[in-house]
């Protein structure tokens, strides 16, 4: 899946989710646009064993309030 588009006729919004993958098939980028404006972005990194090791999430809310969440994962 590379793109999913949802249309809300009641609210007049079009939401587009766009997905990008690495060569191993891991989802590395998830972006959400509402009426063409970016409002969510999730960027992921994986190790050589395809384990998720880092995730950065950006959420853009009302009045362009930006929330950034970043976490790393360590496997033992």
């Amino acid at each position: 899946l590379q793109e999913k588009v949802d249309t809300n006729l009641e609210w007049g919004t079009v939401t587009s989710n766009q997905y990008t993958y690495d060569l191993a098939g891991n989802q590395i980028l998830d972006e959400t646009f509402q009426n063409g404006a970016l409002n969510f972005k999730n960027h992921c990194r994986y190790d050589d064993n395809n384990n998720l090791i880092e995730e950065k999430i950006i959420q853009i809310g009302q009045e362009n309030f930006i929330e950034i969440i970043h976490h790393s994962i360590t496997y033992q």
Side-chain angles (χ1 to χ4, degrees):
L1 179 65
Q2 292 181 327
E3 184 175 26
K4 179 182 82 161
V5 177
D6 295 306
T7 303
N8 184 321
L9 298 176
E10 181 179 343
W11 294 97
T13 58
V14 176
T15 303
S16 170
N17 296 86
Q18 298 177 3
Y19 308 101
T20 304
Y21 304 88
D22 63 15
L23 294 176
N26 299 309
Q27 182 180 306
I28 58 172
L29 185 61
D30 172 359
E31 295 177 299
T32 301
F33 299 86
Q34 188 169 47
N35 294 334
L38 179 69
N39 66 1
F40 175 84
K41 185 174 187 176
N42 182 2
H43 185 265
C44 299
R45 284 190 338 123
Y46 298 83
D47 65 14
D48 292 336
N49 294 317
N50 294 316
N51 294 311
L52 177 65
I53 59 169
E54 185 178 76
E55 190 172 27
K56 294 178 186 175
I57 301 167
I58 300 170
Q59 179 85 33
I60 303 170
Q62 301 226 345
E63 299 179 16
N64 291 325
F65 174 77
I66 298 174
E67 177 181 14
I68 300 173
I69 300 168
H70 175 240
H71 64 266
S72 298
I73 302 168
T74 303
Y75 297 87
Q76 297 183 20

